[in-house]
Amino acid sequence: MDLEAHRAALTGYCYRMLGSGFEAEDAVQEAFVRAWRTYDPGRGPLRAWLFHLATNVCLDMLRGPQRRARAMDLGPAAVPGAELGEPLPPGRWVQPVPDALVLDPADLAVARESVRLAFVAALQHLPPRQRAVLILRDVLGWSAAETAALLASTVTSVNSVLQRARARLPAAAPVDEEVDGELLARYVSAFERYDVAALVSLLHEDATSSMPPFTWWLRGREAVRAVLLASDAPCAGSRLLPTRANGCPAFGQYLRGEPFALVVLEVAGGVITGETTYLDPGLFPFFGLPMSFEPALRTGR
């Protein structure tokens, strides 16, 4: 069985279901183990059987009461000057995922849109079975008959579930498919110089900024400006290394040469509309980022 040929598609599916790249990898590995034990060509194509197994694994993993979310889903925007509050555990957050792990190069346009942080967070509002049906039908392009067979259901039931899922899914804000490299260069320059005026000039007037694991978040470039100016420049001297996350430009942020945060940007209309800063150095190996800035300089990354 050529299981590896299906890894990216399965990982992308499980990531959309679970909201965590780490959990998605675990789910795919469990599906592979079950496939080795149970696959019979008489059941039909291997791909369909793998998605059936992966769906069952994900549904089992989603039996807990809490869903993953973004800060914007958990409460109103903070007032500049407000305390960060207590951090929430990693299991409460929609986590970022490397593009290379989940995106099919043959269909990047659709795939990028469907792994945006906002879209994956919106999926978490749906009951797990509705989530599976919507991903299979609207993201992966499965027919109602194929989806019904995978879920041991009927076409009528699948169509009904899909209709309810579409009605419940919040609309996602538009984003730029391709991001101007000059915009990103200006962002890196402003960030590394801690030039507040230059940094804020790149933001949309209603841009959001959040910092998991804290529920604290901001809306509006003036709120971001106020916070940056009032702070004691805690990130001054940072350096950034580029990567890709959730179909968006992202950066590993290093402070004093050590991993500090993963920054994911959302861009629309040529300006930054969202900035999510994951304060979790444990994400760096997942994204292939070095655990020190100095080796990156020596290797030319």
Side-chain angles (χ1 to χ4, degrees):
M1 289 187 294
D2 186 9
L3 299 179
E4 287 300 320
H6 302 278
R7 184 179 290 276
L10 283 169
T11 306
Y13 173 61
C14 292
Y15 173 69
R16 296 176 184 99
M17 286 288 292
L18 301 169
S20 163
F22 295 116
E23 290 187 357
E25 285 194 313
D26 289 344
V28 170
Q29 197 57 42
E30 176 61 23
F32 282 175
V33 170
R34 295 185 186 185
W36 275 112
R37 294 172 179 167
T38 63
Y39 179 61
D40 178 350
R43 296 180 183 272
L46 174 60
R47 177 175 180 271
W49 185 242
L50 286 171
F51 271 89
H52 168 75
L53 295 173
T55 299
N56 287 340
V57 172
C58 289
L59 292 177
D60 287 343
M61 294 174 71
L62 289 168
R63 295 189 188 282
Q66 291 184 331
R67 64 176 174 84
R68 291 180 178 269
R70 298 186 305 160
M72 290 72 84
D73 303 318
L74 299 175
V79 175
E83 296 293 328
L84 290 178
E86 293 297 319
L88 296 184
R92 292 298 311 279
W93 300 102
V94 169
Q95 297 285 354
V97 70
D99 280 12
L101 192 65
V102 298
L103 296 186
D104 181 355
D107 196 14
L108 280 181
V110 174
R112 281 176 179 164
E113 184 65 28
S114 66
V115 293
R116 306 288 190 198
L117 288 169
F119 182 76
V120 175
L123 288 172
Q124 309 311 301
H125 288 271
L126 302 177
R129 196 170 180 83
Q130 285 189 18
R131 200 179 309 173
V133 169
L134 186 134
I135 296 168
L136 289 166
R137 294 282 283 114
D138 284 359
V139 176
L140 301 180
W142 287 47
S143 70
E146 290 171 325
T147 303
L150 182 145
L151 296 173
S153 184
T154 66
V155 169
T156 300
S157 177
V158 162
N159 287 337
S160 177
V161 170
L162 179 61
Q163 186 176 14
R164 293 197 302 273
R166 286 172 174 168
R168 293 187 58 171
L169 191 69
V175 292
D176 291 351
E177 289 298 334
E178 299 296 333
V179 178
D180 182 10
E182 176 62 24
L183 172 69
L184 299 181
R186 291 167 60 199
Y187 176 84
V188 170
S189 175
F191 195 108
E192 293 185 342
R193 291 182 290 108
Y194 205 78
D195 185 335
V196 173
L199 193 60
V200 171
S201 72
L202 304 176
L203 303 180
H204 187 276
E205 61 181 358
D206 290 325
T208 61
S209 179
S210 61
M211 290 196 311
F214 299 100
T215 59
W216 177 98
W217 67 282
L218 300 171
R219 180 181 293 281
R221 81 178 152 225
E222 292 308 315
V224 173
R225 185 201 307 273
V227 168
L228 291 177
L229 290 176
S231 69
D232 192 25
C235 293
S238 291
R239 303 298 297 271
L240 300 181
L241 281 182
T243 185
R244 295 280 307 181
N246 296 80
C248 296
F251 299 93
Q253 178 189 351
Y254 295 80
L255 193 58
R256 293 180 289 277
E258 298 299 318
F260 180 72
L262 184 82
V263 183
V264 183
L265 301 181
E266 295 172 343
V267 179
V271 292
I272 296 168
T273 58
E275 179 185 61
T276 306
T277 302
Y278 289 91
L279 302 175
D280 182 3
L283 291 168
F284 279 55
F286 192 45
F287 281 82
L289 292 166
M291 294 305 286
S292 169
F293 194 75
E294 290 306 316
L297 291 177
R298 289 198 295 270
T299 59
R301 280 196 60 178

